Every structure is written in C-alpha cells, then in structure tokens.
Amino acid sequence: MPAKSAPSATPQTGVVADKDDLNPVPVPRSEPKLEHRFDIDLMRLICSCAVILGHVAGAFILAVDREESNGPAAYWVGHIADGANAFAVPMFFAMAGWAVLMGAPPRDSARMWTRIIRNGTPLFVWTALYLAWAYLRDRNTDPMSDMAVDAVFGSVRPAYHLWFLYSYIPIIMALGFIVLIRSGRRPWGLGIALLVIAGLPHLLATVGEFTGWSPPPVGWSFGTYSVVYAIGGALLFAHPKRLSRRALWLVAGVMVAAMAGCVWWDTQVHYVIPNAHPFVAVLTLCVLALVSRMHIKESWRPRLTKLSAAAMGAYMVHVFFVEELVKRWVSADSGAVEASVMLVAMVAMTIVLSYGASLLWGKLGARRWLG
C-alpha cells in the first residue's frame, strides 16, 4: 500500500492541500510581535522636557520685551535655551509618523478612532481648564463664551501651546487613513472627517457670507513640513542599526552647529525660527540619529516607560507653572551667572511640578481625560 504523500501548498489558494482528498487546510498565520521601542520612550521624554525648556526660555525673552538692550543676560540665556529646543515639535511629528506607519499601524477604523479620541479628549479638557483659570484670574480679553467657540476651531490663549494638537491629530488621521486603505479596509468615517477638516475654513467663510458672522481662525490642518517630518521620521526610526561611535561624534558636532544656527536666526533674523527651516531640520535629524536605537538598561526601562506615559500630561499642564511661577520670578536685570542659574532652576522646577502632577492623576485614573 503506497505511503500517503506529503501535503503541498497550492499557489491559487495560498493554503495547504492534501493530495489524497484535496481538502484545503488553512495555514495559521501568526501576527508579528510589535517591538517596544524604549529609545522612543526616551525620545518622547526628551521632547517633552525640551518643550518645557523652550517655554521657560520664552519667559526670559519676554521679560526683556525681546530687546537685548533691556537685559543682555536674560536675552541671550533665553535665546540660547530656545535654540536648543527647536527640534521638539518636528520630532513629535516624526514619532507620530513612526507610530502610525511602522510601530503600531491601525488594524481597523475603530482603533484609529480610539487614538484620535485619546488625543482629542485632553485637548478640549485642558482648553476648558485654561479658560476657566484665566477667567478666575481675570485674564480673559474676550468673553469666555466667544473664546470657547474659538477653541473648537483652533488654539486660544492662555492654552497657546495646544496649537500642536490641532495639527497632530489631523496628520495621524491622514496617515492612518492611508494605512487602512492600503490594508484593504474602507474607512469611510475617517475619510469624511478628513474631508470636513479640509473644507472647514471655506465652509465657515461661506456661512459668514450669508450670516454676517466673523468666523474664527481654523487651526485644524497640517503643513507640508509636518508630513515630511512624519514620513521621514517613520523611515529613520525604523532603521535597524545604530550609528557607529565615530559617526555619532560627527552628528553631535553638526547638532551643536545647527543649534547655533537656530540661535543666530532667532536673534538676527526673526524670532521664532520656523519648524520647516533647514537649521531646525538638521537639528531634528541629528537628535533622532543620536537617540534612535540607543540601548536602554533593563533596570531603567520600567521608570522610563512610566515617565514616557506621563509626558503628554506634563506637556498639557506645564504652561500653568510657566505663567504663574516662572514669569513672576524671571528678572530682566540679572547678570549672566544669575540668569543661567535661574534658567536651570526654573526648568527643573517646571519639569518636576509638571511630571509630578501628571504622575499623580495617572495614579488616580484620570489619564484618559488629562493626558
């Protein structure tokens, strides 16, 4: 009696068939295990602290009314610190691109909407909190109802730092839409939402023509530069190898030169340097190259992951401490040493308070609402 022949794969069906009975036998497909990137946790932490550094530095620059003659020490300390943080916003776009396109691409529309809600809910909660705080401090220049309506369409003071999310959310929506289409899905809801965002300024302008209403500026959009950072970041973060030690030293030198270029532009041309400027792009590329694929010690990983999870919350709340504490204590009359020490102290204080608050409401289960 002949032995039973071994099963073989049929190219037409992509399954294994038994030659005796030709009954298809499905081949189990295991999902690739997603790699947790501790270096990107570190990058998220670095960028969050860099944003805080930039806003504290801005308090020094504003203390001298952006004029060197009003306080040279505070002016230069502020601008040097501000030039060092210019990579932060582009890097957040780069990490967004990596997450959506490479790190954890959405499998269906529901998961994409979960991401959108996870970022959008803290945006509106914190906008309301900042408006309420400004109202209680009698700092609102317009009626609170008008500012609340404006905030639906774009960032408002005192929540000025939240402008980023009005660009960040649409870009992850667009990238997620492409990923889902490419995987054979039909994300109609996501497509309609993107269409509404694209046409919103013109829709409001049309309504204004018929009603006489002056529509607020619309912040729900993203520029070409943010798309380039997102796609380029996805590509570079996905590179499997870290640079050699010699190359890293070269990159560090270029990074310092790019920071100096940012300071030069801010002080000699125009403050603030655009995120799309070549100096900022080079600086962002250098920081990415220095941190990407960096080995993180096992003992540090739990704490790093915990702090990384608190980064968004720290970003949301830190402006409160900048406005209420830093701006009260920064002096335009300080000398170089005093201004430098004051900057370090103010940055450290703001980071500790911001992360402390974020870790606290994380323990209380409020991360969903407060970031």
Side-chain angles (χ1 to χ4, degrees):
M1 189 172 178
K4 200 170 185 178
S5 57
S8 62
T10 60
Q12 291 84 0
T13 62
V15 299
V16 174
D18 191 300
K19 287 186 178 179
D20 285 347
D21 53 21
L22 296 180
N23 289 327
V25 180
V27 178
R29 294 183 179 179
S30 58
E31 296 266 344
K33 188 176 180 180
L34 296 178
E35 175 191 10
H36 185 88
R37 294 284 298 274
F38 294 100
D39 57 325
I40 292 182
D41 285 344
L42 176 62
M43 185 70 84
R44 190 174 293 111
L45 181 61
I46 290 171
C47 290
S48 175
C49 292
V51 169
I52 293 173
L53 170 65
H55 287 146
V56 172
F60 281 74
I61 297 169
L62 292 177
V64 298
D65 199 24
R66 303 187 183 186
E67 294 291 336
E68 182 181 3
S69 58
N70 294 334
Y75 176 86
W76 283 106
V77 164
H79 273 298
I80 291 171
D82 188 76
N85 101 308
F87 67 89
V89 168
M91 194 68 75
F92 275 124
F93 286 125
M95 287 187 286
W98 174 83
V100 177
L101 297 176
M102 307 293 293
R107 298 177 185 174
D108 50 46
S109 294
R111 298 196 184 198
M112 195 63 233
W113 280 110
T114 298
R115 292 189 187 187
I116 295 166
I117 293 170
R118 187 171 65 236
N119 287 281
T121 299
L123 166 62
F124 290 113
V125 169
W126 276 105
T127 297
L129 291 174
Y130 275 107
L131 289 177
W133 162 58
Y135 175 78
L136 294 173
R137 299 284 288 152
D138 197 25
R139 292 181 179 177
N140 285 344
T141 56
D142 298 314
M144 190 170 178
S145 57
D146 292 347
M147 296 181 71
V149 171
D150 291 351
V152 173
F153 302 101
S155 59
V156 296
R157 286 192 172 273
Y160 57 84
H161 61 305
L162 300 184
W163 72 267
F164 169 74
L165 288 172
Y166 290 86
S167 297
Y168 181 88
I169 293 173
I171 201 169
I172 65 172
M173 290 173 66
L175 294 177
F177 182 77
I178 294 170
V179 169
L180 291 173
I181 289 290
R182 182 68 181 82
S183 65
R185 303 283 181 175
R186 297 294 181 266
W188 292 106
L190 202 58
I192 292 170
L194 286 167
L195 184 62
V196 170
I197 289 174
L200 188 58
H202 309 291
L203 174 62
L204 294 182
T206 303
V207 171
E209 289 294 326
F210 282 99
T211 63
W213 173 54
S214 297
V218 176
W220 293 103
S221 64
F222 53 83
T224 304
Y225 82 91
S226 57
V227 177
V228 173
Y229 281 129
I231 297 174
L235 176 67
L236 295 173
F237 275 123
H239 193 273
K241 294 183 179 179
R242 182 160 169 78
L243 294 179
S244 65
R245 186 180 296 272
R246 182 177 179 181
L248 289 173
W249 278 109
L250 177 61
V251 168
V254 175
M255 180 185 71
V256 173
M259 286 181 179
C262 292
V263 174
W264 173 80
W265 185 273
D266 279 344
T267 56
Q268 305 301 316
V269 182
H270 184 264
Y271 173 74
V272 178
I273 188 169
N275 289 322
H277 195 283
F279 288 152
V280 177
V282 172
L283 176 58
T284 304
L285 178 62
C286 290
V287 175
L288 191 155
L290 289 173
V291 176
S292 184
R293 298 295 177 180
M294 177 183 289
H295 176 71
I296 308 298
K297 291 183 179 180
E298 294 278 352
S299 58
W300 294 1
R301 291 178 180 181
R303 260 173 287 181
L304 176 60
T305 302
K306 187 176 181 180
L307 288 172
S308 177
M312 183 179 184
Y315 169 81
M316 293 293 194
V317 74
H318 80 275
V319 166
F320 172 80
F321 300 117
V322 171
E323 295 291 323
E324 287 294 332
L325 299 178
V326 175
K327 287 188 175 180
R328 291 172 182 263
W329 295 337
V330 170
S331 172
D333 301 324
S334 55
V337 175
E338 183 183 353
S340 300
V341 171
M342 177 64 75
L343 175 75
V344 173
M346 292 295 98
V347 171
M349 176 196 70
T350 307
I351 289 174
V352 169
L353 291 175
S354 300
Y355 271 88
S358 182
L359 290 169
L360 176 60
W361 68 63
K363 285 188 176 181
L364 298 176
R367 184 76 66 210
R368 173 185 176 186
W369 302 100
L370 299 176

